[in-house]
Amino acid sequence: MVIKPRLKGGLALTNHPIGAKEFVKRQIDYVKSQDKYEGPKKVLIIGSSSGYGLATRISLAFGAGAETIGVAFEKGVEGKRVGSAGWWNTIAFNEAAEKEGLVSKNFIGDAFSMEMKDDVIKFIKEEFGGKIDLLIYSLASGVRTDPIDGITYRSALKSTTKEITGPTINFEKETMEETTMGVATPEEIKSTVKVMGGEDWKLWIEALDKGGVLSEGFKTVAYSYLGPKVTYGIYKEGTIGAAKRDLEHTSDILNDFLKEKYNGEAYVSLSKALMTRASAVIPIFPLYAALLYKVMKEKGIHEGTIEQKHRLLTQMVYGNNPVIDEERRLRPDNWEMREDVQEEVEALWDKVTPENFKQISDYAGARAEFMQLNGFDFDNVDYDADVDLDELAKLVP
């Protein structure tokens, strides 16, 4: 089977398993090119198969020698369906970790369920040394079934104040087009907070604490994003913003609890704007990212996902150079939010049109990053080669 990219707006409908291996390899190569660092030895990553979570796992494993457990909801080969990008990323990570003698374990399923929490705790107790030093919460999902009330909630990418119309990039059509985001109902706001807020993060910590598997000095970090003024309507003032405020409130609650019981810490980390499977479908964001990439690359301060997360871990979470704001949030987005960077991005934003967006932004770089998330656009992968799905189907994370 020859696998070619198929897109629908900001969604990739196909993924390339060989490209996924290259995607993971390049991140590992970056970490290996950097100095080793002292970090945690036993790590649990919720949302480990792509984006921020995958990059974090790679940094911790290949930079600090950590043993890792990954939890993710992904699908493998089903008939002619080649499987999800995260499925192949996880397999590629496993293969590389095994070659290095690094312990890695994966749980594929619903991270929101109590059954998953129980299974992970049982594994930690029986096969993972009994304790973990770090939990990273990097879950991106549009749907969550609350394990307490059994109700399934769906998030909504909407405004909480007024209808917002703005430009975005359609990667399928390679065009810049107007998109409109409606106003959320109170129920939609509540549902988005239930899915994307801090409730499940807190349930994980409570379950791990009750299970007796948290070490002295335990840390936990949840990933979030704030962004600049041009994205405030979506992030700060949108349903996502309501969920992120709940996440930050949860961070404070967890920090107080962990500090008292384990001399531990809990933080929200605000990430730099990057193309991820989740962010690619958020209105306005892809165009902002393309403009930002251009400015930051010209200034020599652009970071991809692995560079961003490696800096966060080596300098802030396990280093001596933390950047923490007045709301107690880690700020590895500090280069993005520099005044000179944002001034230049805003100037480009005022000039960008459907006719010139490819020229005045780093559209090529943003699109390549988006395609590579799904295993495409690598110059050393033969995309005309036949892929044996029957053989691939034998591989499991």
Side-chain angles (χ1 to χ4, degrees), residues 82-102:
V82 74
S84 61
W87 179 270
W88 301 114
N89 292 340
T90 303
I91 288 172
F93 174 86
N94 278 358
E95 290 177 351
E98 187 176 344
K99 286 181 182 178
E100 298 279 333
L102 296 167

Side-chain angles (χ1 to χ4, degrees), residues 31 47 296 369:
V31 172
M296 293 189 76
E369 189 170 82

